Amino acid sequence: MITNPFRVDPWMIHEAHVDLDALPQTESLFALANGHVGMRGNLDEGEPHAMPGTYLNSFFESRPLPHAEGGFGFPDEGQTLVNVPNGKLIRVLVDDEPLDVRYGQVRAHSRTLDMRAGTLTRHVDWVSPNGQRVTVTSQRLVSFSQRSVAAISYEVGVPEDAGSDALLVVQSELFANEQMPVIEGDPRVAAALHDVLVPEHHSNSSHGARMTHQTRRSELRVGAAMEHQVFGPDDAQVTSSCSNNVGRTTVITRLKPGETLRVVKYMAYGWSSQRSQPAIVDQVEAALDASVYTGWDGLVAAQRKYLDAFWDKADLEIDGDPRLQQALRFCLFQVLQAGARAEHRAIGAKGLTGQGYDGHCFWDGETFVLPVFMYTQPRAAADALRWRHSTLDVAYAHAEHLGLKGAAFAWRTINGEECSGYWPAGTAAFHVNADIADAAMRYVAATDDKEFEREVGVDLLVATARLFRSLGHHDSDSAFRIDGVTGPDEYSAVADNNVYTNLMAQKNLRGAADAAVRWPREAERLHVTPEEIASWRSAATAMVIPFDEALGIHQQSEGFTRHAVWDFENTPEDSYPLLLNYPYFDLYRKQVVKQPDLVLAMVQCPDAFTQQQKHDNFVYYERITVRDSSLSPGTLAVMAAETGHLDLAYDYLCESAQMDLADLEHNVRDGVHLAAMSSAWTAVVLGLGGMRTHDGRLTFAPRLPEALSGLRFRIQWRGRSVHIAVAGGETTYTLEHGDDLDLSHHDEKFTLSVDGPVTLDVPPAPETGDVEQPPGRAPLFRRHS
């Protein structure tokens, strides 16, 4: 039985007691971020800890990227997200005894992540080894309203029945170059870097400290500052100091039983690759001053106001499974934390919750994360795509280095430069370029943002279309082939005519041709000619889409269905994930799928398949997909729902939503699985809600599994807000604001207006047969667990 350890609550994640063995996981789950600043959920005292972590989006250090055998085009350097000065630290000495949950007696300890308030609250009732009892209530936030700011309210009290006074020393610190633990044995875990930050400047005020550092190799400059307000006995003594790597504000007082000391800590961060050290100091100082001016209560109120607005647009409400409801909101909250204030920076695969994957972003962002923002927070999606646009020069240079036209975006990166040291799953995965183009097209379709399309979209579409036109070729039969590439399934590398890649490239080529016609001035600026447009359309029309006539299914790539099938029966359960226990050579030549590839193609390009093909393809590939990637269950849920396997769709939805709360992949210590969390939204909206877009038109085909009695969600579409409610065999569509909207419900067209809702019957699901997974690879998280 697999479950998550947290109390079921629709809006909170509550930990009832401290579990030192679970610290690696809870530090990720209780992380707070806003897309610019991120702080892992470490205990206030700093120790014990698993992995300290305070991050700034895209602040990284370069490092040599060794190769066992070098090759032309291999990247020489990698990039790793850096742990910047830690401002979370607040240490307490009680009569000279450090407050440490490993010593003395912990009478009570709880932490609560409030997803409506955007705060992490901690309560501690502790008796020191010498018998002195104190209580601590701390609350922290990373501000959505002031993106450079974090704050902590920390209150220490001596209970009425404590029996004696307590001498308290509270040490609030800003600590750079923390010693980081080394994690080995998993290639997905970040490389450890030590003493990355070179001190430049430090100073202190009466109640705070400031410091700036520069990374040794990437030469990025970071500034950090803290300031405090102290509320307690009048005779409390406050002093501050700062050295190269440690800023400290110390508060000393004696508390009588019934008295409390409260310290409010404000922190501000900033970084730049171009600003001078004085400019960074001024930037951080200004942010700090603004936070102090706003005050703790003001920051808390602004946090709640921001989140109220978010939930009003983005909330997923379900009836029938309280634990799933909690998990879905947790997923949405973490997605928001990763990208809300990223503002022209990358959205990493772990957000800002840990250093897994070195903090890199992948194609996951455009394919899984950005759709959530497109239909709930469109500005955040546009910002992420503008970041990709800002790396075009690097992508053009990368393509030229590879002997290709157009732009080749990095498979994994922080600043746009390729950081993948394994080219079959990195450089060869050219579909990332089509994913970026597709995200730009989807964003424009969802928002009708013509300015974005003109300024950003055309550039991205033309650059990637040129890449695919040069990457592929017309064969002797005039068919257009894209050979030697890797699709989303990383267990099948360097294959010919991967269906996902080819279909996405086809969309890319057609989208670029249409955009060039719509925006002739931009096309002229990019030197696009009518002949080039014609060549894009020709390549798209002639695109090879492999199909096995004998089996009646699409081949994931050319020849894939002729490979030997993996011996699932004799694969031990503890040998998953396969990539850690078998050579890639063996994986690449067998029919075994790490994560949905052909199935994802059916989700992303639904009009390229008939309904019968979708069903037959899904059944076939379900038998050989082992889901060794957290990206798998959300995608499978969508196609399971569309093909009528509603209970299976529900199982996969639960697995995707509970990926981190239940630590299903046993690596949440490295940070949350942001794409899996995003695909939980996809599983609900595209799966159970049946939402699709066809030629700029929204369509829905909702159906619910037996386990759920109701579903409600909103979609933001071209300045309109549409509310969808499914219950009792009916679906009610309500246009909350905006002009009339033409929609489709299970192929029945209708017009929705603000004058009133439209309620339509949900037809029964089609009759389906059984679907099988590989032995031992059934959905991990089911309702009865």
Side-chain angles (χ1 to χ4, degrees):
M1 180 182 295
I2 299 173
T3 187
N4 81 54
F6 302 104
R7 184 183 72 195
V8 178
D9 186 293
W11 288 104
M12 296 183 183
I13 307 299
H14 180 76
E15 180 189 54
H17 62 276
V18 63
D19 182 349
L20 299 184
D21 292 334
L23 282 181
Q25 292 80 24
T26 56
E27 287 174 356
S28 295
L29 298 177
F30 287 142
L32 295 178
N34 61 11
H36 180 63
V37 178
M39 293 182 164
R40 280 176 64 82
N42 308 113
L43 300 180
D44 299 291
E45 300 79 42
E47 295 182 7
H49 66 244
M51 176 69 73
T54 303
Y55 311 113
L56 294 179
N57 192 335
S58 299
F59 186 81
F60 69 91
E61 176 64 312
S62 301
R63 59 183 176 86
L65 197 60
H67 303 278
E69 291 188 23
F72 183 82
F74 286 15
D76 296 322
E77 288 197 336
Q79 301 163 357
T80 297
L81 192 68
V82 169
N83 180 34
V84 300
N86 182 2
K88 301 187 299 290
L89 293 170
I90 301 180
R91 308 185 197 274
V92 179
L93 279 77
V94 182
D95 293 334
D96 204 32
E97 291 277 3
L99 196 164
D100 187 321
V101 295
R102 295 168 295 187
Y103 302 94
Q105 178 190 1
V106 179
R107 292 166 55 105
H109 189 291
S110 66
R111 288 188 289 176
T112 302
L113 175 66
D114 188 327
M115 295 178 286
R116 284 183 297 186
T119 55
L120 177 65
T121 301
R122 179 181 180 220
H123 296 289
V124 184
D125 189 339
W126 182 72
V127 180
S128 71
N130 68 4
Q132 179 62 56
R133 182 183 171 201
V134 295
T135 60
V136 173
T137 298
S138 69
Q139 194 171 38
R140 72 174 67 155
L141 63 82
V142 175
S143 176
F144 287 113
S145 61
Q146 299 182 28
R147 75 168 195 151
S148 300
V149 168
I152 301 173
S153 172
Y154 193 92
E155 184 173 297
V156 188
V158 176
E160 291 276 5
D161 60 355
S164 62
D165 296 356
L167 178 64
L168 293 185
V169 179
V170 176
Q171 296 175 319
S172 177
E173 296 186 354
L174 190 61
F175 195 100
N177 286 316
E178 291 177 283
Q179 183 176 355
M180 303 295 286
V182 177
I183 301 176
E184 298 177 344
D186 189 333
R188 297 168 295 184
V189 181
L193 299 175
H194 299 280
D195 294 327
V196 173
L197 302 175
V198 178
E200 283 192 326
H201 164 84
H202 64 268
S203 64
N204 64 271
S205 64
S206 62
H207 283 60
R210 294 92 171 101
M211 57 178 64
T212 60
H213 293 77
Q214 193 172 41
T215 52
R216 293 182 185 277
R217 293 174 61 92
S218 61
E219 297 183 344
L220 304 182
R221 180 171 283 114
V222 61
M226 65 177 185
E227 195 67 29
H228 301 80
Q229 293 173 333
V230 178
F231 306 91
D234 293 338
D235 61 351
Q237 176 182 303
V238 182
T239 58
S240 294
S241 62
C242 193
S243 62
N244 281 339
N245 289 322
V246 182
R248 182 180 293 118
T249 293
T250 303
V251 183
I252 304 175
T253 191
R254 182 172 292 278
L255 292 184
K256 300 175 182 178
E259 290 186 332
T260 60
L261 170 69
R262 178 171 175 244
V263 177
V264 177
K265 181 175 188 176
Y266 302 94
M267 294 158 279
Y269 292 90
W271 76 269
S272 176
S273 60
Q274 299 179 358
R275 292 192 187 97
S276 66
Q277 181 265 325
I280 289 291
V281 171
D282 289 346
Q283 173 189 340
V284 172
E285 193 72 43
L288 189 64
D289 289 344
S291 68
V292 174
Y293 174 80
T294 304
W296 172 258
D297 292 341
L299 289 173
V300 170
Q303 193 84 335
R304 180 59 184 256
K305 182 179 179 181
Y306 187 99
L307 283 164
D308 283 348
F310 169 73
W311 291 117
D312 184 58
K313 294 181 178 180
D315 195 16
L316 299 174
E317 298 177 276
I318 61 167
D319 301 322
D321 189 336
R323 189 171 289 280
L324 176 59
Q325 175 69 85
Q326 177 192 40
L328 287 171
R329 286 185 174 136
F330 178 71
C331 289
L332 282 169
F333 182 72
Q334 289 289 2
V335 172
L336 179 72
Q337 289 201 130
R341 301 299 305 273
E343 297 176 8
H344 299 200
R345 297 289 182 189
I347 298 177
K350 299 294 185 181
L352 295 171
T353 65
Q355 287 181 267
Y357 297 116
D358 287 316
H360 295 162
C361 75
F362 297 76
W363 67 287
D364 313 4
E366 280 76 19
T367 303
F368 297 100
V369 180
L370 293 198
V372 182
F373 285 124
M374 288 174 195
Y375 301 109
T376 62
Q377 301 273 94
R379 179 179 173 181
D383 282 345
L385 288 166
R386 288 183 185 277
W387 167 74
R388 282 289 192 186
H389 184 264
S390 74
T391 68
L392 258 176
D393 287 347
V394 177
Y396 272 117
H398 186 42
E400 183 178 6
H401 192 60
L402 296 173
L404 298 168
K405 305 293 184 182
F409 286 95
W411 169 245
R412 60 183 297 174
T413 188
I414 292 178
N415 76 339
E417 296 177 357
E418 181 60 75
C419 292
S420 174
Y422 185 67
W423 69 269
T427 301
F430 285 99
H431 69 83
V432 63
N433 301 280
D435 299 322
I436 293 167
D438 182 61
M441 289 187 284
R442 287 176 183 268
Y443 169 78
V444 172
T447 62
D448 198 27
D449 187 344
K450 291 182 171 57
E451 181 180 1
F452 172 90
E453 185 178 33
R454 179 178 61 82
E455 294 180 350
V456 175
V458 177
D459 285 356
L460 291 175
L461 288 167
V462 168
T464 48
R466 283 173 168 163
L467 174 79
F468 284 112
R469 185 61 186 84
S470 70
L471 186 64
H473 70 281
H474 288 281
D475 63 16
S476 58
D477 296 323
S478 297
F480 191 79
R481 305 175 56 86
I482 303 179
D483 296 329
V485 298
T486 301
D489 172 28
E490 295 167 14
Y491 286 174
S492 299
V494 197
D496 294 343
N497 295 304
N498 170 257
V499 169
Y500 178 88
T501 302
N502 283 19
L503 284 176
M504 294 294 284
Q506 184 182 64
K507 287 176 67 175
N508 193 164
L509 291 161
R510 287 172 174 164
D514 292 344
V517 171
R518 277 195 304 273
W519 300 98
R521 289 188 178 179
E522 276 58 46
E524 183 180 4
R525 171 175 57 83
L526 296 169
H527 307 293
V528 177
T529 65
E531 292 75 20
E532 187 174 26
I533 293 174
S535 75
W536 294 341
R537 295 195 191 279
S538 173
T541 300
M543 190 70 69
V544 172
I545 308 297
F547 189 83
D548 188 320
E549 296 289 349
L551 294 174
I553 62 163
H554 285 84
Q555 300 185 72
Q556 180 172 289
S557 57
E558 201 166 56
F560 179 81
T561 53
R562 297 180 183 177
H563 293 173
V565 177
W566 185 268
D567 185 3
F568 297 107
E569 291 283 356
N570 294 308
T571 302
E573 186 174 342
D574 61 4
S575 290
Y576 293 95
L578 299 179
L579 81 162
L580 299 183
N581 295 283
Y582 297 91
Y584 275 117
F585 162 74
D586 206 18
L587 296 169
Y588 287 168
R589 64 197 188 100
K590 299 288 180 62
Q591 288 191 64
V592 56
V593 178
K594 178 183 180 184
Q595 58 208 50
D597 189 309
L598 194 283
V599 175
L600 182 61
M602 295 191 293
V603 174
Q604 297 292 85
C605 307
D607 296 336
F609 304 86
T610 67
Q611 203 61 35
Q612 187 63 49
Q613 287 172 345
K614 289 178 182 178
H615 178 272
D616 294 346
N617 287 338
F618 178 70
V619 171
Y620 184 89
Y621 284 95
E622 184 76 349
R623 291 197 295 262
I624 59 173
T625 299
V626 295
R627 304 195 322 285
D628 278 350
S629 165
S630 63
L631 302 180
S632 302
T635 297
L636 294 172
V638 174
M639 197 48 54
E642 182 172 346
T643 55
H645 301 92
L646 294 175
D647 290 338
L648 180 60
Y650 173 71
D651 289 340
Y652 280 139
L653 165 60
C654 290
E655 182 175 321
S656 187
Q658 297 281 5
M659 185 66 63
D660 288 329
L661 287 176
D663 197 12
L664 297 183
E665 294 217 335
H666 311 295
N667 60 4
V668 75
R669 64 181 185 271
D670 307 321
V672 301
H673 297 80
L674 198 62
M677 292 179 156
S678 301
S679 67
W681 178 93
T682 304
V684 172
V685 176
L686 274 66
L688 304 185
M691 190 187 86
R692 300 290 188 276
T693 58
H694 300 277
D695 297 323
R697 183 188 184 107
L698 267 181
T699 69
F700 296 90
R703 288 192 179 97
L704 297 182
E706 290 185 4
L708 302 180
S709 57
L711 167 65
R712 295 170 296 283
F713 62 93
R714 285 179 176 82
I715 293 298
Q716 309 305 307
W717 179 260
R718 298 184 177 181
R720 305 169 178 89
S721 180
V722 184
H723 184 266
I724 299 94
V726 189
E730 296 180 333
T731 302
T732 298
Y733 299 90
T734 304
L735 183 62
E736 297 179 324
H737 63 76
D739 297 333
D740 291 1
L741 182 61
D742 292 331
L743 298 175
S744 176
H745 169 87
H746 286 283
D747 297 326
E748 178 183 348
K749 296 180 180 179
F750 66 99
T751 299
L752 192 61
S753 74
V754 293
D755 295 337
V758 173
T759 300
L760 299 169
D761 291 336
V762 174
E767 294 292 331
T768 59
D770 293 334
V771 183
E772 298 178 356
Q773 296 81 37
R777 303 307 290 169
L780 295 174
F781 203 105
R782 295 180 180 272
R783 180 164 58 99
H784 61 257
S785 66

